Amino acid sequence: MAISVFTLKNSIVQSSVEEYVAYRDELKEQKRLLKQGTDPEQALSQKQSVKQKKENRTVFVTSIDTAAEALRLAGISYEGRLDLKDIEFCKAEALQECIMGNLHIPKLNDVLGEKIKMSFFVNRKNIVLVDDSGFALKIIRRIISSRTKPGQSREKFLYNFFARFMDKDLENLGRYSRRIMRIEEEVAKDDLDEVTETIAQIRKELLVLREYYDELRDLGKQLEENENQFFSGKNLVYFGIVSDRADRLMGRTMYLLDYVAQVRETYQGIVAEQQNDNMRFLTVISTIFYPLTLITGWYGMNFKNMPELANGYPFVIGLSIVVVIIIIGICKKRKIF
């Protein structure tokens, strides 16, 4: 993927690397001529030209293959190892020359699957987004097509960037809530097929989302701290908004985790009750047939002097019926069934 260049003006304007380099070189040349000192009228004209052509804030979007070139164009020095495959969570780290951060974003339609991984770098002038998935370009196009003006500051761009890939998360959590409600209804109707697997799946996905929102909250707070003073103080509120939004999403996720835990407890209670009913039934059957087994054992010995040896079969049948009736009566009296 070639390096994409976006200039931050009143709105985001896409340009090419060649246009960016030409504009930057022209601005440097005008500043050099202004420092050399010329006649007053020419100096005033050059000063006004430089003021009109101030150095714009620029966003570079690149793949890992061209990341070094994009960082060079942005004037960012980073000597660490850059590998998107190593990204395991969201974070931001203040370095001497820049702010370096990672994003580890779960896909809403496959939370447990492969994550979207990208890195970002910010210095006092520019932003570099390193992404092999095309996700960053998709988000920037959504920002450009939105009705709100993204503004010309790096802080507002980052706010819009983070907000755009979080804007569907609340709706997604609402779908989780409806899924859990349907499971709760199935449990209430004793329709318990595959409930355990479904609850376990939802719980795993919510745990992943909870960790993700927690990381985003910490990332927003880290940027808001502005440790190396790369951001304008009046614009730090944007990072506070990102942190607050992630905190609300995490709170909603925690609520859903509690909800699914309650449904699981209800399900386990129903299963335990069913097992108790089965055990009670088996206990009653055993209670009925144990005396009959004893009777048949006695009368199956066939001793020579046994009283009912000649015609005891009807007697044993009658005795067994009487014993069964007595046991059933006792069970009903004690409300065993």
Side-chain angles (χ1 to χ4, degrees):
M1 181 181 72
I3 300 173
S4 299
V5 182
F6 298 89
T7 302
L8 302 181
K9 298 181 179 179
N10 290 332
S11 60
I12 299 175
V13 180
Q14 185 170 6
S15 60
S16 64
V17 173
E18 292 75 14
E19 291 173 339
Y20 170 78
V21 172
Y23 183 89
R24 185 189 62 183
D25 292 344
E26 181 183 357
L27 188 61
K28 284 183 179 179
E29 180 65 18
Q30 289 182 351
K31 288 181 178 179
R32 185 186 67 80
L33 293 175
L34 184 62
K35 287 181 180 180
Q36 286 181 351
T38 55
D39 59 86
E41 292 184 0
Q42 188 176 359
L44 180 61
S45 175
Q46 289 177 351
K47 189 174 182 180
Q48 290 175 346
S49 178
V50 170
K51 187 176 181 180
Q52 290 175 355
K53 289 188 175 182
K54 64 180 181 179
E55 190 167 356
N56 293 312
R57 304 300 185 238
T58 307
V59 177
F60 299 86
V61 182
T62 178
S63 66
I64 192 69
D65 296 331
T66 54
E69 176 65 14
L71 290 171
R72 186 189 65 80
L73 289 172
I76 296 175
S77 176
Y78 180 70
E79 298 179 356
R81 179 174 176 270
L82 186 58
D83 189 350
L84 298 182
K85 295 179 181 179
D86 294 338
I87 296 176
E88 296 295 336
F89 51 87
C90 302
K91 71 169 186 177
E93 181 180 0
L95 305 177
Q96 185 175 1
E97 298 292 333
C98 65
I99 294 174
M100 185 267 182
N102 293 329
L103 293 174
H104 190 253
I105 307 170
K107 299 176 183 177
L108 298 184
N109 58 353
D110 186 16
V111 174
L112 300 179
E114 188 69 23
K115 307 298 187 294
I116 298 170
K117 301 179 180 182
M118 69 175 71
S119 294
F120 66 91
F121 298 83
V122 185
N123 64 2
R124 298 184 184 277
K125 296 179 181 179
N126 302 314
I127 299 173
V128 175
L129 300 174
V130 183
D131 173 35
D132 284 342
S133 65
F135 181 75
L137 285 175
K138 185 187 300 183
I139 294 296
I140 292 175
R141 293 190 185 100
R142 285 170 57 186
I143 296 173
I144 295 174
S145 63
S146 65
R147 295 181 179 179
T148 58
K149 292 184 178 181
Q152 61 182 359
S153 68
R154 294 161 301 142
E155 299 87 350
K156 192 167 185 180
F157 172 82
L158 288 173
Y159 160 73
N160 279 296
F161 189 80
F162 294 145
R164 285 294 167 182
F165 66 70
M166 286 195 294
D167 59 359
K168 294 185 179 180
D169 287 56
L170 188 60
E171 180 183 349
N172 181 59
L173 292 177
R175 288 194 291 268
Y176 277 104
S177 180
R178 291 189 290 272
R179 285 176 63 188
I180 299 172
M181 290 177 66
R182 285 195 296 269
I183 294 173
E184 188 177 27
E185 292 173 357
E186 292 173 1
V187 170
K189 296 176 181 177
D190 289 344
D191 186 8
L192 305 180
D193 295 339
E194 300 181 354
V195 169
T196 304
E197 293 79 3
T198 304
I199 290 178
Q201 178 78 8
I202 292 176
R203 187 172 181 275
K204 288 178 183 178
E205 293 178 3
L206 289 175
L207 286 172
V208 170
L209 291 175
R210 184 188 66 179
E211 293 178 2
Y212 164 60
Y213 296 136
D214 189 26
E215 294 166 5
L216 276 183
R217 182 185 62 175
D218 291 342
L219 185 149
K221 289 181 178 179
Q222 180 68 28
L223 294 175
E224 189 178 13
E225 288 175 2
N226 197 20
E227 182 178 342
N228 45 16
Q229 303 298 313
F230 277 179
F231 299 120
S232 171
K234 64 180 181 180
N235 290 331
L236 292 178
V237 64
Y238 290 122
F239 301 134
I241 295 173
V242 171
S243 181
D244 290 343
R245 179 175 294 187
D247 187 60
R248 289 194 299 271
L249 289 170
M250 188 180 71
R252 178 69 175 172
T253 307
M254 292 292 293
Y255 161 76
L256 291 175
L257 280 169
D258 291 339
Y259 187 13
V260 78
Q262 293 174 5
V263 173
R264 184 176 61 176
E265 290 175 1
T266 302
Y267 166 72
Q268 290 174 342
I270 293 175
V271 171
E273 185 177 353
Q274 290 180 346
Q275 290 176 346
N276 290 336
D277 291 341
N278 293 335
M279 292 300 296
R280 187 183 297 113
F281 176 76
L282 293 175
T283 301
V284 170
I285 296 298
S286 300
T287 303
I288 293 174
F289 281 95
Y290 277 160
L292 301 182
T293 303
L294 179 61
I295 293 172
T296 56
W298 281 344
Y299 285 94
M301 294 180 185
N302 297 325
F303 292 130
K304 181 178 179 180
N305 297 323
M306 196 164 214
E308 292 83 13
L309 186 60
N311 54 0
Y313 193 71
F315 175 79
V316 172
I317 293 176
L319 179 61
S320 299
I321 293 173
V322 170
V323 170
V324 169
I325 293 173
I326 292 173
I327 293 175
I328 292 176
I330 294 173
C331 290
K332 284 188 174 181
K333 185 177 181 179
R334 298 191 176 184
K335 297 181 180 179
I336 297 178
F337 61 85

